[in-house]
Amino acid sequence: MKEIQTIGVVGAGAMGRGIAQIAAQAGLRVRLYDTSAEAVASAREALRQTWDKLAQKGKLGAADAQAALERVVAAGALSDMADCQLVVEAIVERLDVKRDLFAALEGVVAEDCILASNTSSLSITAIAAACKRPQRVAGYHFFNPVALMKVVEVIDGLRSAPEVGDALAELARRMGHTPVRAKDMPGFIVNHAGRGMNTEGLRVAQEAVASFAQVDAIMREQAGFRMGPFELLDLTALDVSHPVMESIYRQFYDEARFRPSPITAVRLAGGLIGRKAGEGFYTYVDGQKQVPAETPAPALPQNLKIWVSPKHPEGYARATALLEKLGAPLISGSTPAADALIIVTPYGEDVSTAVSAQGLDPARSVGLDTLYALDGAKRRSLMLSPATQPQWRDAAHAALAADGVPVTVIQDSPGFVAQRIVATIVNIACDIAQQQIATPEDIDRAVTLGLGYPTGPLALGDALGTTRILEVLKNIERVTGDQRYRPSLWLQRRVQLGMSLLEPAAA
Ligand code: NAI
């Protein structure tokens, strides 16, 4: 393969100009084409402003900024792409239009010129099928904004020559991006792995477990994510993310793990699409997200006794260590005293299932989520059964908030909020690995860089304990009867064999 020095970018919209930017900054000559000449002119103007700003901030020399701009050349026609070693398309997301473009490009460029698509939802194999030389076609999926999102998915279509993907990966590194390699499957890696957070957050909301803001607060402050599902959906906006949810679900032939929610369908129809509309899961006043005030912690009742179920040894240890630290009036014994608050620490079960299995009084029972270490966590989740009485809810809330750490009180849910969302995220990533859509390392790399998760989902599963994640999923599946939670074979086998989720098959 020839060293790539001149690239064509077709489509001068948000993505095309971003790709042109990082390519020109890396010293490549860029030929920028768009059916709209104004789009090319406005892209060059936007690039000039970007580079001027970078130069003002001292991040780029003034001469380098000027040179970068000179390297981006407006192409008046597709035929101007003749000397390119690579053409990347970032045009409208329509298979027929992309196919026509690639067929036309084949008549212009040299035999060994690579044709790449920035599509996020179409099959690379399907785009390549219109080409005489489909082996030269691959996916090159950048994220928005291209210059800041330092990851790119390199997608091998069924007929893509491996050297084509290798060359794209090498070029990505030259442009300062991290390439990850993916098979041509719906959603590739990032949009596939991203199904977990959104669809499970929506299920939690649909079951009336907690409000949108409560779910987000738990995911941020208990599970350590930068954003919760509803903050994320408000940012991407439902006019973009609802169709993606439907499309990936359909492309996997109604795979329960990706099942979308009528919540977003209704909100989209009503125009409550997110931040850009001023109203989504949150309302925005002057661009500021409005968050409803939290219920303050009640006063601790006198003569309270607290009994923690020893059923789950780790949960018991975590709960009692915390309560002791908070100076809570703990009592011991194999069964609770008749006038004690009961705390259960289930994994993947709701309070109703846990107390009925353990023969405990539901009126006095609450659940405490102990999946994440309680020590140092910024938020705690307290769960009620439908029979839990308000005075016992308030007593538990008061005892658990004694040091001022906020407590979110949620309704009954198999797996609380964090357990079920996190287990779903890990499970989907495991299934991506099982299908060999990407290597385990690339899955984690793609998700940390593309979705901004604090750790990759496979490393997260290892850190929380693979056996525990499997237990959570099996219990949610049993309690709900929903295939959505069936554990991936990748996870099951690695638990059975004591392997890391990041470990591929040995042979
Ligand atoms: P955009 O709407 O901002 O820009 C598309 C540009 O392509 C427009 O300037 C339009 O005039 C031009 N165009 C349309 N048909 C053309 C044709 N046949 N030949 C030449 N130019 C043509 O779109 P955006 O957001 O830049 O997306 C472009 C592609 O990148 C799509 O395939 C999209 O799926 C993909 N993508 C978009 C992401 C995003 O967040 N916006 C993220 C990752 C991929």
Side-chain angles (χ1 to χ4, degrees):
M1 288 244 132
K2 275 194 209 134
E3 158 103 335
I4 297 172
Q5 280 162 346
T6 304
I7 81 163
V9 175
V10 183
M15 298 306 288
R17 60 186 66 176
I19 298 165
Q21 182 191 339
I22 59 167
Q25 281 173 206
L28 294 147
R29 173 191 281 270
V30 180
R31 301 200 177 285
L32 186 57
Y33 174 75
D34 197 293
T35 38
S36 146
E38 294 96 85
V40 176
S42 105
R44 276 195 95 244
E45 176 54 24
L47 287 173
R48 192 185 61 73
Q49 288 176 12
T50 302
W51 284 322
D52 278 354
K53 264 189 220 140
L54 289 176
Q56 277 161 19
K57 285 187 195 159
K59 291 189 176 165
L60 196 69
D64 291 340
Q66 185 57 32
L69 188 62
E70 279 164 15
R71 278 194 288 272
V72 181
V73 181
L78 267 194
S79 53
D80 291 352
M81 302 286 172
D83 66 344
C84 294
Q85 290 87 44
L86 160 68
V87 179
V88 185
E89 73 75 18
I91 64 167
V92 60
E93 188 75 337
R94 270 182 45 192
L95 181 60
D96 56 340
V97 184
K98 290 197 198 273
R99 282 180 147 183
D100 288 349
L101 172 67
F102 275 25
L105 278 169
E106 276 202 308
V108 169
V109 299
E111 279 257 301
D112 58 355
C113 172
I114 297 173
L115 300 181
S117 172
N118 184 47
T119 181
S120 52
S121 67
L122 300 171
S123 158
I124 299 303
T125 309
I127 295 171
C131 290
K132 290 197 197 94
R133 292 173 45 78
Q135 61 270 34
R136 64 157 93 197
V137 178
Y140 212 22
H141 181 216
F142 289 90
F143 295 82
N144 193 14
V146 178
L148 300 180
M149 300 291 290
K150 301 254 180 217
V151 63
V152 54
E153 293 177 326
V154 175
I155 299 116
D156 294 278
L158 288 184
R159 292 192 200 280
S160 307
E163 314 84 78
V164 166
D166 296 345
L168 291 174
E170 163 59 25
L171 178 67
R173 287 188 205 98
R174 273 168 66 198
M175 298 191 295
H177 272 49
T178 300
V180 289
R181 202 77 177 249
K183 258 195 209 163
D184 187 15
M185 286 288 268
F188 311 130
I189 308 172
V190 172
N191 283 342
H192 187 164
R195 296 310 88 209
M197 172 84 99
N198 291 353
T199 62
E200 192 57 20
L202 284 160
R203 290 222 72 73
V204 168
Q206 205 178 331
E207 284 171 28
V209 170
S211 71
F212 305 129
Q214 285 178 318
V215 173
D216 284 343
I218 289 170
M219 290 313 290
R220 266 188 283 106
E221 295 169 9
Q222 192 183 327
F225 286 77
R226 201 183 291 166
M227 263 187 267
F230 301 105
E231 292 164 327
L232 195 63
L233 286 168
D234 266 6
L235 197 65
T236 47
L238 293 184
D239 57 338
V240 175
S241 41
H242 179 78
V244 173
M245 284 191 260
E246 287 196 332
S247 150
I248 292 189
Y249 175 63
R250 295 286 179 223
Q251 289 185 74
F252 278 100
Y253 299 104
D254 295 12
E255 164 57 63
R257 290 194 183 105
F258 309 137
R259 194 188 302 128
S261 166
I263 290 180
T264 51
V266 173
R267 298 181 83 85
L268 173 59
L272 290 82
I273 61 170
R275 188 182 278 267
K276 70 183 179 190
E279 201 170 7
F281 291 103
Y282 297 87
T283 48
Y284 296 85
V285 177
D286 300 329
Q288 288 297 308
K289 180 178 83 175
Q290 306 297 299
V291 183
E294 293 195 55
T295 313
L300 196 67
Q302 305 227 309
N303 308 323
L304 177 68
K305 290 178 210 153
I306 304 177
W307 180 84
V308 180
S309 162
K311 166 86 181 160
H312 302 285
E314 197 176 346
Y316 173 82
R318 286 185 170 177
T320 52
L322 172 69
L323 288 161
E324 270 163 20
K325 200 173 123 196
L326 298 178
L330 274 179
I331 56 166
S332 53
S334 56
T335 53
D339 58 351
L341 167 71
I342 298 169
I343 296 182
V344 292
T345 60
Y347 297 107
E349 285 184 338
D350 51 5
V351 175
S352 300
T353 305
V355 299
S356 64
Q358 295 175 47
L360 300 168
D361 175 6
R364 291 184 284 135
S365 294
V366 297
L368 177 65
D369 189 353
T370 57
L371 177 67
Y372 284 88
L374 294 167
D375 213 16
K378 295 200 192 88
R379 181 169 293 273
R380 296 166 190 145
S381 292
L382 184 65
M383 184 161 74
L384 314 177
S385 84
T388 306
Q389 294 298 307
Q391 69 269 30
W392 296 107
R393 171 198 63 197
D394 290 349
H397 188 168
L400 286 163
D403 57 354
V405 171
V407 172
T408 305
V409 181
I410 63 171
Q411 297 299 317
D412 220 359
S413 160
F416 297 83
V417 172
Q419 285 183 15
R420 60 192 283 181
I421 295 181
V422 167
T424 301
I425 291 169
V426 173
N427 199 34
I428 289 174
C430 284
D431 224 50
I432 297 176
Q434 184 62 45
Q435 294 173 66
Q436 295 188 344
I437 292 171
T439 64
E441 285 80 8
D442 269 0
I443 294 169
D444 271 15
R445 226 174 261 140
V447 171
T448 39
L449 294 170
L451 295 172
Y453 289 1
T455 40
L458 300 172
L460 180 61
D462 278 349
L464 290 170
T466 51
T467 308
R468 179 72 75 222
I469 297 292
L470 182 61
E471 178 187 8
V472 168
L473 289 166
K474 279 187 170 166
N475 283 339
I476 306 177
E477 188 192 11
R478 178 170 49 81
V479 173
T480 61
D482 192 338
Q483 282 285 296
R484 176 179 170 76
Y485 302 100
R486 72 192 190 285
S488 162
L489 293 172
W490 183 274
L491 171 63
Q492 294 193 57
R493 290 175 186 146
R494 274 150 190 80
V495 170
Q496 284 160 340
L497 307 177
M499 292 166 71
S500 155
L501 296 183
L502 282 157
E503 213 176 324

